[in-house]
Amino acid sequence: MVLSPELRFSRRAVLLTAAGLLVGCSRQPEASEVHLRLATGPAGAVYRRIGGALAEHISEQVPAVTVTTVPSGASTDNIRMLRAGEVHLGLTSLDALIRADGSAPPGLSAICRLYDSHLHLVVMADSAIDEFQDLEGKRLSLGAHDSGTEFTALRVLRLGTVNADRRHLSQAESATALRDGTIDAMFSLTGVPTPAITELAQRHPIRLIPLDAQAGGLFTEYPGPYAPAMIHATAYAGVPAIRTVAVPNVLLARDDLPEGLAYAITDTVFTHTGAITSAGRDDAETLPEAWQINVRTGIATASVPLHPGAAAWFRDRKR
């Protein structure tokens, strides 16, 4: 695959960036010559917020690099844009990335594993829906088209043989529709807590439907990307804890991203986690998902290979 002309890197820009890294110089905005595009997610999603924080901090910390975020449907859409050469970096859930034979799509590799998303099934507190099977015939949002939520929700519905009236709404749109009564339930595969559900729970009583049986089905049918998990009672106002399934999220890059840039991005992610969590935000707007970012789990990208530049950073870290 070949990047479209506007996404190619000049040799001089890459050398400038590498030189800056070698001498440890501070960022000099006037020397910026590398422009990266990072695919994030839809309104109301953690991908949008954490992608913005990553872009902001990489731009601040890596000499001669500016990162611009690209809103998207989320995981599947981000993979498509990466493969088409529309972006250099993108966020995705691991299950949407790994193919049926356990391999990753060609031309893509991981910078690192970031944090885990949890599958939410949300209803209003007075809903007649008490368990997964009650979704039969109900109006259900599967998330935006090409999102990780849609991908995982469709797998869950197939395994449970539930026929619902399926809608495709972003997380923010789903929360509004649930509040207004135009849908009966919404799926959301996202970090905990997620903005759209947090805001809904603060204004209206909601419930989360347990998905432990569905989690077991996913483990059996699709071994690898899933793990049992719990959304704790502290996550959303007035909402009891429930069991569900977790899916890791990774920061992806195209294979043709220069190794020096991939190395620098990896270094920024793991040496400035605290700043990424709260940079430019007050205490009420911190990103708790970012606290999951650590070197020990960062290398655990399953069958998705690490980008050579990221692999080099992890090797150097062990020395």
Side-chain angles (χ1 to χ4, degrees):
M1 286 177 288
V2 179
L3 282 173
S4 55
E6 65 273 16
L7 296 187
R8 291 175 183 157
F9 304 97
S10 72
R11 183 174 182 273
R12 180 171 180 267
V14 174
L15 290 175
L16 278 172
T17 303
L21 292 170
L22 288 173
V23 302
C25 69
S26 60
R27 175 168 172 77
Q28 301 176 14
E30 67 275 11
S32 295
E33 295 200 18
V34 175
H35 299 276
L36 302 179
R37 289 162 60 84
L38 190 161
T40 59
V46 171
Y47 271 13
R48 179 76 69 90
R49 294 206 307 162
I50 203 163
L54 287 167
E56 177 185 341
H57 213 64
I58 293 166
S59 297
E60 291 174 352
Q61 296 298 320
V62 181
V65 171
T66 299
V67 183
T68 301
T69 58
V70 179
S72 70
S75 293
T76 308
D77 197 20
N78 294 347
I79 295 168
R80 180 195 61 76
M81 286 194 286
L82 279 160
R83 298 195 71 192
E86 298 172 8
V87 297
H88 306 90
L89 302 164
L91 302 168
T92 184
S93 59
L94 204 57
D95 64 337
L97 180 63
I98 296 176
R99 299 184 295 190
D101 63 0
S103 65
L108 304 180
S109 51
I111 296 294
C112 62
R113 174 174 172 169
L114 292 170
Y115 67 96
D116 290 357
S117 285
H118 291 61
L119 187 61
H120 301 60
L121 178 54
V122 189
V123 300
M124 302 306 292
D126 59 358
S127 171
I129 299 171
D130 292 317
E131 58 184 29
F132 177 77
Q133 294 302 132
D134 293 336
L135 292 174
E136 182 71 30
K138 298 297 192 296
R139 300 164 300 175
L140 172 65
S141 174
L142 304 183
H145 279 299
D146 292 329
S147 66
T149 297
E150 179 194 39
F151 185 90
T152 307
L154 286 173
R155 280 187 167 180
V156 169
L157 290 175
R158 284 194 293 267
L159 289 173
T161 63
V162 167
N163 294 307
D165 178 4
R166 302 173 182 182
R167 313 288 174 88
H168 290 88
L169 306 171
S170 71
Q171 294 198 48
E173 292 169 340
S174 294
T176 299
L178 188 61
R179 178 201 67 195
D180 294 344
T182 56
I183 61 171
D184 302 301
M186 62 175 280
F187 273 117
S188 178
L189 180 68
T190 184
V192 179
T194 194
I197 298 173
T198 295
E199 292 170 11
L200 180 63
Q202 287 171 346
R203 293 171 172 79
H204 306 277
I206 65 170
R207 287 186 289 113
L208 296 177
I209 303 300
L211 295 170
D212 42 343
Q214 289 66 43
L218 289 171
F219 308 150
T220 301
E221 190 71 19
Y222 306 101
Y226 300 108
M230 178 172 286
I231 299 175
H232 295 285
T234 55
Y236 302 106
V239 180
I242 59 102
R243 295 187 181 278
T244 185
V245 61
V247 185
N249 295 287
V250 296
L251 177 59
L252 280 182
R254 288 178 54 89
D255 288 349
D256 51 13
L257 185 76
E259 290 188 24
L261 289 178
Y263 188 106
I265 291 167
T266 310
D267 184 69
T268 299
V269 170
F270 289 104
T271 57
H272 298 280
T273 302
I276 290 170
T277 303
S278 57
R281 297 168 176 81
D282 60 33
D283 290 341
E285 294 181 323
T286 57
L287 294 169
E289 303 81 16
W291 291 116
Q292 296 183 41
I293 300 173
N294 64 80
V295 175
R296 180 178 57 82
T297 59
I299 201 169
T301 57
S303 59
V304 182
L306 286 173
H307 188 286
W313 185 90
F314 282 107
R315 285 195 301 270
D316 289 348
R317 180 78 179 185
K318 293 179 180 179
R319 293 175 183 172

